[in-house]
Amino acid sequence: RIRIIRDLDVAVYTHPADCHGVSLEFFTESFHEDERLTGGPMRPSSYWRDEHPLALTGLHGLTHVTPDLEATAQFFCDLLDAQPMDEQERPAIGGRAVALQVADMVLEVLTPTGPGRLKEHLERHGEGLRSTVFRVHDLDKACAHLSAHGIDPVTGTAPSAVAIPAEQNLGVIFELVQHDG
């Protein structure tokens, strides 16, 4: 049973205690087409890829940290019809990951396997979303832009990802991965 904590007719929000530490929002409209939500027309994807200094190409996915990898992954598979992609050890962060395909993005469920950044994060913040992962056209260019602004990217949750540390990003972890497409 998943409780609804807010119903706005066009969106409902689930209770985080019923969804492994996350309040899920189910929205019937399109963020891309509703100027009340965006404050005006959204810039085209070509702007974000070709003109923005980070060369963003879209959302890659989200990471979720949990003490119970199997139960949490199964929950999202059942609720969202997520499809398991792969499972990997992540020794650099002291964890294990299961990648789930959800629509056009990846939800990566992570659990600590011993001491490390992942265990520290779980102990400090509890179960729930850990980071938002964006695709970029040129990871080296994106890192140079961040460094020029005093932001020191660190290794992300995946070996190919870099992260903007929470302490340099208003408490939120953003990760960047190279997208060659």
Side-chain angles (χ1 to χ4, degrees):
R1 177 174 174 256
I2 299 173
R3 293 170 285 174
I4 302 299
I5 58 172
R6 191 168 186 200
D7 186 340
L8 300 176
D9 293 327
V10 297
V12 295
Y13 301 84
T14 65
H15 197 294
D18 301 335
C19 297
H20 292 271
V22 177
S23 176
L24 299 170
E25 174 186 5
F26 295 94
F27 184 58
T28 62
E29 302 293 325
S30 169
F31 284 102
H32 298 275
E33 297 168 5
D34 191 336
E35 292 186 14
R36 294 172 300 157
L37 299 172
T38 62
M42 290 186 75
R43 292 182 177 187
S45 59
S46 60
Y47 164 80
W48 297 102
R49 181 190 63 238
D50 301 332
E51 297 177 46
H52 192 277
L54 289 176
L56 298 163
T57 61
L59 177 68
H60 176 73
L62 303 168
T63 65
H64 183 102
V65 66
T66 180
D68 189 339
L69 185 68
E70 291 76 20
T72 304
Q74 189 62 54
F75 171 82
F76 286 117
C77 285
D78 293 344
L79 181 66
L80 303 174
D81 195 29
Q83 300 300 310
M85 297 168 55
D86 68 346
E87 192 166 335
Q88 297 178 352
E89 292 294 327
R90 297 285 172 78
I93 59 170
R96 182 160 189 75
V98 172
L100 305 173
Q101 186 73 48
V102 179
D104 63 348
M105 69 106 181
V106 175
L107 173 61
E108 191 167 73
V109 182
L110 303 154
T111 196
T113 56
R117 287 188 297 154
L118 202 56
K119 184 175 181 180
E120 291 168 10
H121 182 92
L122 182 61
E123 289 173 348
R124 181 172 183 191
H125 300 287
E127 181 176 36
L129 288 180
R130 182 176 191 278
S131 64
T132 304
V133 186
F134 297 97
R135 294 186 312 260
V136 296
H137 182 67
D138 184 332
L139 190 58
D140 291 334
K141 180 180 173 184
C143 288
H145 173 72
L146 293 171
S147 293
H149 289 275
I151 298 170
D152 303 314
V154 297
T155 303
T157 54
S160 60
V162 299
I164 300 170
E167 58 273 8
Q168 293 185 312
N169 196 35
L170 302 173
V172 177
I173 300 171
F174 284 161
E175 296 190 54
L176 306 173
V177 295
Q178 178 84 31
H179 180 249
D180 296 318

